[in-house]
Amino acid sequence: MRNRPPTGRRRLALALSALLGGSALIALPTTAGAADGGGVAVQYRTSASGATADQSEPWLKVRNTGSTSVQLSQVKIRYYFKADSASTSYRFACSWAVKGCANITGTFGTPANPTATADRYLEIGFTSSAGMLASGANTGDMQLRFYQSNWQTLNQADDYSFSGAQTSYADWNKVTAQLAGATVWGTAPAGNDPTDPTDPTDPPGGGQSLFDDFSYTSYTDPAISAHGWNVRSNSGGPGVPGANWDPSKVTFPTVSGNKVMNLETSTAGTAESTKQTEVVSKSTKFKNGTYAARVKFADAPQSGPDGDHLVQTFFTINDLKAPMADDYAEYDFEYLPNGGWGESGNILYTTSWETYNPDPWQAVNQHTESRQSYAGWHDLVLTIDNSSIKYYIDGQLFGTHDAQYLPERPMSINFNQWLIDLAGQTSTTARAYNEQVDYVLHVKDQVLTPAQVSAKVAAYRTAGTAFVDEVPAS
């Protein structure tokens, strides 16, 4: 949670890192099979035709050979290659595309049966924003590339899908295409049909969950730590320099017969009097899947005069190892009831971070915003799969962010409430603000709808389950 306003600026040609051999995500319910009359072919050319190159450049077009329109988000293409060494990691980038690079994803995987020319593949997909492809139409150029993460020269001559002679577009059956989960184009290396259920990128079972109903007695309850939470007391940002993070201001009252977690932030107009609150998971083991929480935002203080530049949050984050490090990740719900960061009134931000530089400030992120009051209880849902990040509020899609902001490393889960500055008002009268949390849920490697989140939470409560953590350590 950075103490800076979100910004939509992006770096050009930002490379999307992906973990090798990672599992694909599943959406519930699962996608139906390819529609009758549907089919695609893939055309290929290379823009780097040498046996060795700084980066491989498979340029592709997808052509609709069927009699009906195809939803591009249901299309997956695999380009197979031989890794230069067993430990080599790769990065994907899109230089230019008719459909827009923001609508194209690239992830790496390992075939079920590695061969002498194919022990890795690059899988190309499309976001929902890529739209439909009409019968007989093609996507136009997708100028794609991938390279070793250490930028060492790579050998293409032993890559299954590569041809240095293919310098103009033509149908190419050494790449495969799936439509709605069924292989409809190309020949995979022996024993590696992408539709084969043993393939490691088929949807995993997943579903290991963290659920906490926050049924604790106080911030000193030993169950809080035993359940993997830390109630912050150490100094530092974000927020007012010199402010305190006060664990005693995190309480667990009963509201309408239900325990909730209450985060109180207070000030009397000075840094010394400012007390902020934060609860963070001790483990950074959460990555793809579904995150959800029911959170009560407040426009007005519970006591004292109003007007402070307050931030009320639910977010995931990992550490910034160096300025502009590409493996940083953060995904935020941030409500500012009194404005701040140049805003004069209510605003809700959802922000997906690729990286940043704290000094001088430079940010690479994407955000969605809404200028209205969000006072009261709200169901917040964040989903992360291999193609996009989606934010939902009260069952409605609020924002979809691009694949270039997907996480490379696991993260922690956090709630905090803090003051941007003391410029919102000049009063020295004490005032206090509350943010409340009903529950938190994470489901590993599964994309749930908001309705499925509600059903899962209801099932835990019906069973009398106040806490469960099945998510394996990263």
Side-chain angles (χ1 to χ4, degrees):
M1 182 63 55
R2 305 276 59 79
N3 193 6
R4 295 279 182 162
T7 172
R9 284 191 300 148
R10 305 177 189 137
R11 290 175 297 171
L12 294 176
L14 182 67
L16 171 63
S17 299
L19 294 177
L20 291 173
S23 310
L25 275 284
I26 67 173
L28 302 177
T30 55
T31 305
D36 290 343
V40 297
V42 182
Q43 297 187 323
Y44 160 81
R45 61 158 291 195
T46 181
S47 184
S49 58
T52 61
D54 290 336
Q55 55 188 352
S56 186
E57 299 186 39
W59 291 14
L60 303 172
K61 290 182 182 179
V62 177
R63 183 166 56 90
N64 185 351
T65 60
S67 58
T68 60
S69 294
V70 166
Q71 186 176 341
L72 280 171
S73 63
Q74 294 188 330
V75 175
K76 299 289 186 184
I77 305 163
R78 286 191 184 173
Y79 178 97
Y80 296 88
F81 64 98
K82 174 73 173 177
D84 290 83
S85 74
S87 61
T88 303
S89 62
Y90 293 86
R91 293 190 173 185
F92 163 79
C94 172
S95 297
W96 185 81
V98 172
K99 286 290 184 180
C101 283
N103 296 320
I104 297 171
T105 65
T107 56
F108 296 94
T110 303
N113 295 292
T115 71
T117 59
D119 59 9
R120 305 284 175 86
Y121 58 79
L122 168 64
E123 182 170 277
I124 302 301
F126 300 86
T127 71
S128 58
S129 299
M132 306 293 290
L133 188 64
S135 175
N138 68 70
T139 58
D141 271 348
M142 294 187 291
Q143 298 181 8
L144 312 177
R145 55 192 173 92
F146 66 92
Y147 53 94
Q148 294 191 65
S149 57
N150 59 9
W151 278 106
Q152 295 297 306
T153 299
L154 50 78
N155 177 26
Q156 302 187 100
D158 59 356
D159 291 351
Y160 177 86
S161 296
F162 170 75
S163 173
Q166 195 75 18
T167 56
S168 59
Y169 279 113
D171 287 357
W172 192 246
N173 67 3
K174 286 197 170 185
V175 295
T176 59
Q178 289 177 275
L179 178 58
T183 301
V184 294
W185 174 261
T187 303
N192 289 289
D193 182 348
T195 310
D196 188 331
T198 65
D199 192 293
T201 62
D202 282 346
Q208 298 98 331
S209 299
L210 164 73
F211 173 73
D212 201 332
D213 216 9
F214 295 115
S215 298
Y216 303 111
T217 57
S218 73
Y219 78 98
T220 61
D221 189 333
I224 295 176
S225 180
H227 289 172
W229 298 105
N230 178 56
V231 183
R232 183 176 177 179
S233 60
N234 60 297
S235 61
V240 173
N244 300 306
W245 294 88
D246 188 345
S248 72
K249 298 298 182 181
V250 177
T251 58
F252 299 90
T254 298
V255 177
S256 300
N258 181 52
K259 280 273 193 178
V260 301
M261 178 171 67
N262 190 88
L263 288 78
E264 178 186 300
T265 292
S266 59
T267 188
T270 64
E272 294 76 14
S273 67
T274 301
K275 300 182 185 301
Q276 305 177 139
T277 43
E278 180 172 61
V279 175
V280 55
S281 67
K282 292 187 288 186
S283 176
T284 54
K285 62 179 181 179
F286 309 100
K287 190 169 178 272
N288 290 357
T290 300
Y291 299 80
R294 183 166 174 79
V295 178
K296 185 178 183 181
F297 297 130
D299 284 350
Q302 61 153 334
S303 62
D306 196 4
D308 292 287
H309 291 158
L310 186 72
V311 184
Q312 300 178 321
T313 77
F314 166 45
F315 65 104
T316 70
I317 193 171
N318 59 31
D319 59 319
L320 182 73
K321 293 185 177 295
M324 303 304 289
D326 278 340
D327 63 351
Y328 176 75
E330 181 180 345
Y331 306 95
D332 303 332
F333 288 92
E334 295 176 297
Y335 181 51
L336 282 61
N338 294 318
W341 293 329
E343 297 291 335
S344 59
N346 314 118
I347 187 166
L348 177 67
Y349 290 108
T350 59
T351 310
S352 302
W353 292 78
E354 168 64 16
T355 190
Y356 72 99
N357 184 7
D359 189 18
W361 179 252
Q362 182 180 359
V364 182
N365 62 34
Q366 184 177 3
H367 80 277
T368 304
E369 62 192 42
S370 177
R371 292 175 176 82
Q372 66 179 67
S373 172
Y374 282 88
W377 285 102
H378 296 283
D379 295 308
L380 310 180
V381 175
L382 159 69
T383 65
I384 302 174
D385 62 17
N386 286 334
S387 63
S388 65
I389 304 106
K390 295 182 185 295
Y391 297 86
Y392 297 83
I393 299 178
D394 298 330
Q396 300 300 309
L397 182 63
F398 183 82
T400 301
H401 296 169
D402 299 338
Q404 70 184 65
Y405 303 100
L406 292 172
E408 288 87 11
R409 291 190 289 120
M411 302 167 288
S412 61
I413 296 175
N414 304 254
F415 299 90
N416 65 17
Q417 184 179 221
W418 48 281
L419 295 176
I420 296 171
D421 52 41
L422 297 173
Q425 61 164 295
T426 59
S427 175
T428 58
T429 301
R431 55 268 190 191
Y433 300 83
N434 285 339
E435 174 187 357
Q436 294 186 338
V437 184
D438 183 10
Y439 70 83
V440 66
L441 171 72
H442 171 69
V443 182
K444 176 180 169 61
D445 291 341
Q446 287 189 354
V447 172
L448 273 61
T449 66
Q452 289 167 334
V453 167
S454 296
K456 193 171 184 70
V457 171
Y460 280 129
R461 288 178 164 168
T462 298
T465 302
F467 174 81
V468 64
D469 185 3
E470 308 159 332
V471 181
S474 59

